[in-house]
Amino acid sequence: MSLKKEQWFSNIRTDILAGLVVGLALIPESIAFSAIAGVDPQVGLYASFCIAVTIAFFGGRTAMISAATGAMALLMITLIKDHGLQYLLAATILTGILQVIAGYFKVAKLMRFVSQSVVYGFLNALAILIFVAQLPEIGKMNSLGYLFMAMGLVIIYLFPHIPKIGKTIPSPLICIVVLSALAVFLGADMRTVSDLGHFPDTLPIFLIPEIPLNFETLKIVFPYSITLATVGLLETMMTTTVINEVTGTEADRHQECRGQGYANIVNGFMGGMAGCAMIGQSIINVSSGARTRLSTLVAGVFLLCLVVFLKDWLAYVPMAALVAIMIMVSFTTFQWDSVKQFRKHPASFNVVMIAVVIVVLATHNLALGVFIGVLLSALFIINKLESEVKVSSVLLNQSIRRYKISGQIFFSSSEKFFQFFDFQEPIDQVNIDLTHAHIWDITSVNMLNTVVQKFRDQNIQVEIMGLNEASSTLIDRYNPL
């Protein structure tokens, strides 16, 4: 738990105002994700409250928002359909336990395998998904709704340029206040937040899932929990990377992993569905000037106060205002430089980025898109390393041939390495110079041994030269020449 004063109270006014905006913006998304999972809206709303409040204390990335998410909701559909809500709560608790374990084992280090092209693809796909998610609501608007949405975008983008006050109050909050007041003044007939569905009447209470505590139950929930834990941590780490870049600060990724776990454990015992970091809401938060844990806490508490105690006030907040905010988030999330610099980027960079976008848009699974991106990035780098393996040879006299090898010799390049040698040349000795090469794995060790043996079968002496210490150790351990 972090109670450092600078992580809570160094930016009080802006953090509180940003938290109010996020708390309101969480309502429609929490309800939508509940519908995706096939549970009552209060499950998603309770989840967003519990996760946001818990992560404010235990998370490792200040000002980042965690709550119920669409990526997690998609993974719960079958569990809810086949076994019901109680098993979902158990799976949520187990998800949290697995994430805490992952945090202590420091699995966040795996994020170093995620390339910039994957991050760009992830963000661009997410931006498109956020925009597309607004289309159903836009389709329900009348002409007045379109006008209010346009006014909201104008306020969001122009208000920050007003001298003195433009930087002190988040423009999304001004958008909500102005459009709500205008709707009341005009008596406008348009959809409001209260039209989204039924809100809970009570605070969440502690409960233990009503399921049999046996191995059969574990067999049911464990596969879902491991998937939820993996997807949740992956999306959280990607969001952490983005928020780090936006704020110019670093986070404790391992603490964030553990914090996500603690949040889901608390969440499961309070009747909520599993969640993780939300990049859209996090962008709203930091774009509004939030920088500390206070903003995350305010967002969670204000969300609960709105839906339980102040739900009558939600009848005055037009959906057009929230749609305008989410469109802003979409435009902010999209990496426009990836389009401007498209022709300057290597073809492999663009292929990976586009592949991630296509997979995410086709499946709505952010984790799958990132996995495909990482896999393609690995294949491209392997192909590049393989192509950079070079061999030159020189005949020192009529009986000695020296081969000079440069590059990385590993499982993929070992076959190419083998093909460089002429085993039929009538010479007495071969020198293989590995001064500028590195032997990486058993496959390449065996291939080198095959080359040596093939020359020796032709009664040609072989001398290995220039092995670095790591390569020599590997060869001595697995296949002494």
Side-chain angles (χ1 to χ4, degrees), residues 287-299:
S287 296
S288 299
R291 291 295 182 271
T292 73
R293 298 175 182 275
L294 182 62
S295 61
T296 308
L297 177 64
V298 170

Side-chain angles (χ1 to χ4, degrees), residues 37-114:
V39 297
D40 190 272
Q42 77 174 24
V43 177
L45 292 167
Y46 284 165
S48 294
F49 160 71
C50 292
I51 295 173
V53 170
T54 306
I55 205 70
F57 290 95
F58 293 97
R61 168 69 262 177
T62 59
M64 190 164 74
I65 304 298
S66 296
T69 65
M72 301 286 270
L74 288 169
L75 302 174
M76 306 170 188
I77 296 173
T78 306
L79 178 61
I80 288 292
K81 185 177 180 181
D82 294 343
H83 301 284
L85 176 62
Q86 297 301 316
Y87 280 83
L88 172 61
L89 301 182
T92 298
I93 295 169
L94 183 55
T95 295
I97 293 172
L98 293 173
Q99 289 176 328
V100 171
I101 294 172
Y104 280 109
F105 277 93
K106 299 186 176 180
V107 297
K109 289 182 178 180
L110 295 176
M111 276 302 296
R112 67 182 185 273
F113 295 116
V114 178

Side-chain angles (χ1 to χ4, degrees), residues 140-283:
K140 298 174 183 177
M141 291 181 183
N142 52 26
S143 57
L144 187 59
Y146 291 126
L147 177 60
F148 268 58
M149 182 179 68
M151 290 172 58
L153 289 170
V154 170
I155 293 171
I156 288 170
Y157 284 107
L158 294 186
F159 182 80
H161 298 288
I162 297 176
K164 295 185 179 180
I165 64 170
K167 299 294 184 181
T168 59
I169 304 175
S171 60
L173 181 61
I174 297 299
C175 169
I176 292 171
V177 171
V178 170
L179 293 189
S180 299
L182 189 59
V184 172
F185 178 75
L186 297 176
D189 181 19
M190 61 175 64
R191 279 173 56 81
T192 65
V193 175
S194 63
D195 294 324
L196 292 174
H198 175 70
F199 295 120
D201 298 313
T202 61
L203 297 173
I205 58 173
F206 179 84
L207 55 86
I208 297 175
E210 297 177 0
I211 55 171
L213 300 177
N214 53 36
F215 185 70
E216 289 301 316
T217 299
L218 183 62
K219 284 173 59 179
I220 293 171
V221 301
F222 185 78
Y224 290 98
S225 295
I226 194 72
T227 305
L228 287 166
T230 303
V231 171
L233 289 182
L234 181 56
E235 191 163 347
T236 296
M237 291 302 101
M238 293 293 289
T239 304
T240 301
T241 299
V242 174
I243 301 305
N244 285 353
E245 292 180 1
V246 173
T247 62
T249 57
E250 285 300 316
D252 185 337
R253 295 179 183 272
H254 308 305
Q255 182 180 340
E256 183 62 33
C257 285
R258 297 193 296 271
Q260 291 290 326
Y262 296 138
N264 276 317
I265 292 172
V266 171
N267 175 31
F269 281 119
M270 301 297 284
M273 56 196 271
C276 63
M278 302 183 73
I279 189 166
Q281 303 300 336
S282 298
I283 290 291

